[in-house]
Amino acid sequence: MLLLLLLLVLFRELCCPGESTVAPQTLGSHHPAAEEALSFRMLQISSFANHSWVNTQGSGWLGELQTHSWDNIVGNIRFLRPWSQGDFSKQELKNLQALLQLYLRGFAREVQTYASQFQLEYPFVVQISAGCKMHTAKASEILVNAAYQGLDFLSFQGSSWVPSPTAGTRAQNVCKVLNHYRDIKEIVQSMFGHTCPRFLAGLLVAGKSELERQVNPEAWLSSGPSPRPGRLLLVCHVSGFYPKPVWVRWMRGEQEQPGTQHSELLPNADWTWYLQATLDVAAGEAAGLSCRVKHSSLGGHDIIIYWGGYSILLILICLMVVVTLVMLVVVDSWFKKQCSDNFISSHVSRTSFAMGANTQDTRASGHQFCLAQESWIIKRFLKKRKASLKQIW
Ligand SMILES: *[C@@H]1O[C@H](CO)[C@@H](O)[C@H](O)[C@H]1NC(C)=O
């Protein structure tokens, strides 16, 4: 614990002298991502396999968007966006990086040293979320929490460490020890009460254009695994939109279907979001349903996709069927015309020579010949169509 204290005292020397005189920059109240973006957090996940092995992952988050990661091997901060440095100078960032290196090394060592005293049993995972939230330009809040084995363990409240009510005596003991070190508490307050809001304000200004961008969603339908026999699970996928707020419903006409279920909003790799809305319906009732999507990027022009309709393949097939039918009708009437012309001419020419008795026969055989020709052409025609239909399928 003494080592940790020494390290933390060193941090204070390293970190941004005179920072307390710098007030956070004024923030526009207009920020669209206001609810989410006004916090900056550093996440640390340390997995302790045994008394000599620990793996730590670190990352930085503006609201729910990852802006930084920690390179464990080199021990430096990776800036994931062009504006991830905010308005901090190179020197300030170098100091922060050195501070994080010392902290992470010191943290692992201290936890391993005190593991048996606090009855931490290998393997275990410690997760720490440390950052700040901005309410107004002047008022910010410190957000520092730790979890042990995935459960709340302790947090920093006001100016001291508070055990989580559900974490038992172990957390109480750790907090008792931590609260003895005034310097550590002062550093946490300075780091997350001053440096962090200042960094956050700089990030919001530097990343403004990207944070305020509007990206259209794309939507498509599919069917999910059938919930029960005779039922269909309709799935409406909506992806690639930014910012996060989105409205997706299954509709029949203007009527919202109350059974619409939403997945969680999932992040895409390109800083956009994905959501799916599902509806469990009787197989016979799916026709006429549509998925409707509202999003700020669409400017009131909602996306509406109908179930079972408007697929390009379907349109092509319908088109081909219609064309085939029209051609059949045309071919049919052409033949009928040809045949009746033939009949008339042959009939007229024959009647001029032979009268009466065999007139009926001539008419019948001529007509049969035409019918045979006609059906042969239709068959050939249909065969070709079938072959090309097969190719499409
Ligand atoms: C500690 O855990 C690591 C990772 O599981 C393993 O490779 C290593 O052999 C372990 N060391 C000891 C001393 O148990």
Side-chain angles (χ1 to χ4, degrees), residues 155-227:
S155 61
F156 191 81
Q157 306 282 341
S159 57
S160 58
W161 300 99
V162 178
S164 165
T166 53
T169 52
R170 189 193 280 136
Q172 288 164 12
N173 292 338
V174 171
C175 287
K176 227 179 263 167
V177 172
L178 277 175
N179 279 326
H180 279 141
Y181 296 95
R182 239 184 55 210
D183 287 313
I184 299 179
K185 293 190 283 187
E186 276 176 16
I187 288 166
V188 169
Q189 280 178 308
S190 150
M191 184 74 185
F192 299 103
H194 295 282
T195 312
C196 179
R198 195 163 63 86
F199 185 64
L200 170 57
L203 269 188
L204 292 173
V205 172
K208 191 173 189 304
S209 63
E210 194 163 356
L211 293 167
E212 291 181 4
R213 84 209 146 108
Q214 293 280 329
V215 187
N216 290 358
E218 197 183 313
W220 68 95
L221 307 180
S222 72
S223 57
S226 174

Side-chain angles (χ1 to χ4, degrees), residues 201-331:
L203 269 188
L204 292 173
V205 172
K208 191 173 189 304
S209 63
E210 194 163 356
L211 293 167
E212 291 181 4
R213 84 209 146 108
Q214 293 280 329
V215 187
N216 290 358
E218 197 183 313
W220 68 95
L221 307 180
S222 72
S223 57
S226 174
R228 272 168 291 147
R231 307 285 297 180
L232 277 179
L233 189 67
L234 314 186
V235 186
C236 180
H237 307 259
V238 183
S239 187
F241 54 91
Y242 187 90
K244 202 177 180 184
V246 71
W247 184 97
V248 184
R249 294 283 188 285
W250 278 99
M251 316 278 291
R252 186 180 297 283
E254 290 298 311
Q255 198 74 42
E256 270 181 44
Q257 296 302 106
T260 305
Q261 303 269 332
H262 293 95
S263 71
E264 274 183 70
L265 274 150
L266 301 172
N268 285 323
D270 63 353
W271 257 49
T272 61
W273 294 96
Y274 170 89
L275 176 82
Q276 68 184 39
T278 53
L279 185 67
D280 173 359
V281 288
E285 286 166 17
L289 286 169
S290 62
C291 174
R292 185 167 193 150
V293 182
K294 292 176 192 277
H295 186 257
S296 55
S297 67
L298 297 170
H301 300 292
D302 301 352
I303 296 178
I304 302 171
I305 320 177
Y306 287 88
W307 179 257
Y310 302 105
S311 128
I312 290 184
L313 187 67
L314 273 173
I315 290 173
L316 265 177
I317 290 167
C318 290
L319 218 77
M320 268 172 59
V321 168
V322 169
V323 166
T324 308
L325 286 175
V326 166
M327 283 178 82
L328 285 178
V329 168
V330 168
V331 166

